[in-house]
Amino acid sequence: MQGTDVVRSGRDRVGAPSSDGRASAGQRQGRNPGVQGGAGTAAHSDSGSQAGASGRPVSQQSGHSGHQRFEQGTNQGGARGGPHTGAPINKTSGHAGHGRGAHGAGQGGHHGSAAEGGYFARPGSNAGNRAAASNGRMDTFESDDSGPPPLYAALDLGTNNCRLLIAQPTRPGQFRVVDGFSRIVRLGEGLAASGRLSEDAMNRSVEALKICAAKLGHRNIRRARLIATEAARAAENGVIFMERVSAETGLELEIIDRETEARLAVSGCASLVGREARSVVLFDIGGGSSEIAVLHIGDNRSSRLANHITHWTSLPVGVVTLSERHGGRDVTPESFEGMIREVSGMLDRFDCPEIEAVRAADDFHLIGTSGTVTTLAGVHLDLPRYDRRRVDGLWLSDDEVSAMQARLLSWDFAARAANPCIGPDRADLVLAGCAILEAIRRRWPSTRMRVADRGLREGLLTDMMADDGVWRRGRGRRLSRPGPQTGSEEGRSS
């Protein structure tokens, strides 16, 4: 779908799926925005917990780095204690990683909107909507309780896609999507061979980001976070590209580290973890990297599922990089097995104990959030057009996953491109994703897998809303505004 936009608007809500695995009427999706916190210089290892190479500024806090709060009459910075710490943004303090070169607070946004450190105010709104940095703290605001529910925004610039969600909180743990945008930009095209973002890829991405900036500029956003992932993290010119994005769009993107990416994927999929589950392996197959988190839940389930992560890794391989190395257009059983072996070798270096023996099939399952697994689900359901409401939360048995992978492998490129749940822009990527999925399934055999058409953006939106306490201030009845649900192709993340 390169050059084709998927725009979401209306009254879609994110919530828990129904027990039969189909998405409930209250489900909708979201994925990522923010501004860059600290500087990371550690080199990446296959086992995962390090930041990007080449000394690029990368946020080091888990889950909330770069966050700022906007509240009336306070000067509350983004810093908090504990593992979900957010570094306060200060354009003038000289803190490492917080200045212009590290993509900290920025200047005016698109269409006349204020854009301070990734936050946006509607043109013509009061002066309090402009954030002012002082000693590492930000002047902030909060909507009056008598006004409409606050808006939150999440943008994710990945290796393959540029995605935006704008949402309002509704019932506890849920939100309604007000607007969205998705475009395949293939920012990481050719990155594996050259180590750099190409001019064409950067141009495509900037054009998509200009549309996102316009959407953000037309709304009064209380809080937003804009992130970039593996392509910007790995590229030699990733930081230079972020500076170009800032200059041409007014958007300040945060290059997040791999641990943050893994934690956000877990946060975004929390409602899909079965209440009976004792252990879960959640994976997000991206365009340039694949994040895997092992969770042990036990008897005391935290309200923040990311607190149950015991081990995680980020594999430096995704559907774009793997297909470029092995060929994604004409895939044979032999080349497919070669892709699996490459990924399995990376997983072999992941130092993670075996999952404890489970008492029953319900005690352990996989959760997959990526274009690969949502495509498999769409093909499995024989959908005439991708429908997120039917895919998100769907359970697939081990035999069903194997059958769908074999079916896709039997199709040539033209047959894959003709399938409405794949299309020509994903036809050369889907089997690389299946190879990564197969390597994960061989490492952690499971009788079933749950499909998630959600991920980083949902995690960002959920975390920001939880941090602001919007679900525990007696606002439940006022914010609950159910509306008609619509299907969307948006949300497939690779």
Side-chain angles (χ1 to χ4, degrees):
M1 296 195 321
Q2 184 172 327
T4 301
D5 304 334
V6 178
V7 179
R8 170 183 286 168
S9 62
R11 296 183 176 180
D12 307 326
R13 291 187 296 117
V14 169
S18 57
S19 59
D20 65 358
R22 293 183 59 175
S24 70
Q27 276 182 310
R28 230 7 170 180
Q29 135 154 340
R31 198 166 160 165
N32 325 341
V35 281
Q36 174 115 333
T41 59
H44 167 257
S45 66
D46 288 340
S47 58
S49 64
Q50 302 303 317
S54 303
R56 280 176 290 281
V58 178
S59 148
Q60 294 298 306
Q61 292 78 22
S62 300
H64 297 289
S65 55
H67 280 193
Q68 302 168 17
R69 291 181 59 89
F70 284 10
E71 287 195 283
Q72 185 85 37
T74 68
N75 288 316
Q76 192 165 349
R80 292 180 180 82
H84 298 281
T85 303
I89 302 301
N90 183 355
K91 292 200 298 184
T92 59
S93 68
H95 289 198
H98 291 181
R100 181 71 171 177
H103 316 111
Q107 300 298 326
H110 197 67
H111 285 194
S113 62
E116 299 289 350
Y119 295 90
F120 300 83
R122 182 178 55 207
S125 57
N126 64 51
N129 289 2
R130 292 294 301 254
S134 175
N135 296 324
R137 307 179 76 85
M138 304 297 293
D139 293 333
T140 62
F141 77 91
E142 180 173 314
S143 301
D144 191 335
D145 279 346
S146 64
L151 290 176
Y152 292 79
L155 184 148
D156 171 30
L157 179 62
T159 302
N160 201 42
N161 294 277
C162 175
R163 301 180 182 278
L164 169 72
L165 279 181
I166 301 172
Q168 293 174 321
T170 57
R171 297 184 181 92
Q174 299 182 18
F175 53 80
R176 178 174 69 91
V177 173
V178 174
D179 199 0
F181 171 81
S182 177
R183 177 183 287 183
I184 293 177
V185 295
R186 296 210 178 193
L187 177 60
E189 187 175 58
L191 174 62
S194 69
R196 298 179 60 83
L197 303 175
S198 72
E199 193 66 27
D200 287 345
M202 290 189 288
N203 290 341
R204 291 192 297 263
S205 301
V206 167
E207 290 306 307
L209 289 167
K210 286 179 179 178
I211 297 173
C212 295
K215 285 179 171 288
L216 290 164
H218 283 121
R219 295 184 182 274
N220 192 355
I221 306 295
R222 173 196 280 186
R223 192 174 177 195
R225 194 173 178 195
L226 321 171
I227 68 168
T229 56
E230 181 63 20
R233 194 163 54 211
E236 293 175 6
N237 56 341
V239 169
I240 294 173
F241 176 57
M242 294 296 99
E243 293 169 354
R244 174 184 169 185
V245 167
S246 174
E248 296 189 25
T249 71
L251 302 179
E252 301 290 336
L253 270 65
E254 166 196 0
I255 304 176
I256 63 170
D257 64 41
R258 292 178 174 89
E259 181 179 3
T260 299
E261 191 169 352
R263 292 182 68 88
L264 288 172
V266 172
S267 294
C269 299
S271 65
L272 295 183
V273 175
R275 298 299 304 182
E276 73 286 350
R278 316 290 287 183
S279 298
V280 170
V281 171
L282 185 146
F283 58 90
D284 182 357
I285 302 172
S289 68
S290 297
E291 280 64 48
I292 301 171
V294 179
L295 291 78
H296 178 68
I297 299 170
D299 296 324
N300 299 314
R301 180 166 175 157
S302 170
S303 60
R304 296 211 179 191
L305 200 67
N307 292 340
H308 292 291
I309 298 174
T310 60
H311 298 79
W312 69 273
T313 190
S314 178
L315 306 181
V317 65
V319 296
V320 174
T321 51
L322 195 64
S323 65
E324 286 182 351
R325 282 201 290 272
H326 292 264
R329 186 180 180 93
D330 301 311
V331 181
T332 65
E334 293 74 23
S335 63
F336 184 69
E337 190 63 34
M339 288 190 276
I340 296 172
R341 284 196 301 270
E342 178 179 339
V343 180
S344 294
M346 297 178 186
L347 285 174
D348 287 344
R349 297 190 290 275
F350 177 30
D351 185 15
C352 175
E354 296 297 318
I355 299 293
E356 295 179 7
V358 295
R359 295 186 294 272
D362 288 345
D363 287 352
F364 170 70
H365 64 86
L366 301 175
I367 294 181
T369 169
S370 69
T372 297
V373 293
T374 56
T375 295
L376 283 174
V379 173
H380 169 73
L381 295 172
D382 200 23
L383 297 178
R385 183 176 185 272
Y386 184 81
D387 185 347
R388 181 187 184 276
R389 294 171 299 174
R390 295 191 61 187
V391 168
D392 186 49
L394 181 73
W395 288 101
L396 292 175
S397 70
D398 185 59
D399 288 343
E400 288 170 336
V401 176
S402 296
M404 286 304 99
Q405 290 189 162
R407 184 179 177 188
L408 291 181
L409 189 57
S410 72
W411 291 351
D412 61 13
F413 177 84
R416 297 195 302 273
N419 186 278
C421 292
I422 302 174
D425 287 316
R426 298 178 187 273
D428 62 335
L429 304 177
V430 64
L431 285 173
C434 287
I436 297 171
L437 170 60
E438 180 60 23
I440 293 170
R441 293 172 65 219
R442 292 181 185 181
R443 174 70 187 267
W444 293 284
S446 175
T447 59
R448 58 185 187 147
M449 178 182 75
R450 199 161 204 187
V451 177
D453 189 348
R454 56 178 75 190
L456 301 186
R457 289 171 302 167
E458 287 83 359
L460 287 164
L461 290 169
T462 299
D463 284 353
M464 286 187 287
M465 292 176 188
D467 286 349
D468 283 356
V470 297
W471 293 311
R472 61 174 187 269
R473 292 178 178 172
R475 295 180 176 179
R477 289 187 296 274
R478 182 174 69 81
L479 293 180
S480 181
R481 297 182 178 181
Q485 308 302 304
T486 60
S488 171
E489 288 187 27
E490 188 195 27
R492 293 178 290 172
S493 56
S494 62

